[in-house]
Amino acid sequence: YNVFVILFSLLVVASCISRVSATIQQVIKLNSEAGDRKRQVAMYLKINKISSHLCIRVLRFVDHSLRKHKAAPLDSQLLSQTLIN
C-alpha cells in the first residue's frame, strides 16, 4: 500500500510540475512577443528619424496597448448579476 501511495504521489507531483513549467513557458513567450513588438516599433521610429518627443509618446502608447492586450477578459458567468452591475 505504501509503495502505491508513493508512486501515485510522484505522478501527481510530476503532473503539477509539468503544468507549472508549461505556464511559465507560456508567460515567457508572451513577454518575449511583446518585447519584440516594442523593439520593432522603436526601430521603425529610429529608421524614419521621428522626433524623440513623438517617439516617447508612441512607445508609451505601445506599452499601454500591450498591457491592455494582456489583460484577461472577464468571464461574466463567474459573477453574480449584482457584481456585474
Side-chain angles (χ1 to χ4, degrees), residues 47-59:
I47 289 170
N48 290 299
K49 299 177 182 166
I50 306 299
S51 70
S52 60
H53 178 68
L54 183 57
C55 285
I56 291 170
R57 290 182 61 193
V58 169
L59 290 175

Side-chain angles (χ1 to χ4, degrees), residues 23-51:
T23 303
I24 290 173
Q25 288 297 326
Q26 193 173 24
V27 168
I28 289 171
K29 181 182 174 188
L30 287 174
N31 286 337
S32 175
E33 288 173 357
D36 289 344
R37 288 181 181 175
K38 189 174 177 184
R39 264 190 300 283
Q40 287 174 348
V41 171
M43 288 299 294
Y44 175 83
L45 296 171
K46 184 177 179 181
I47 289 170
N48 290 299
K49 299 177 182 166
I50 306 299
S51 70

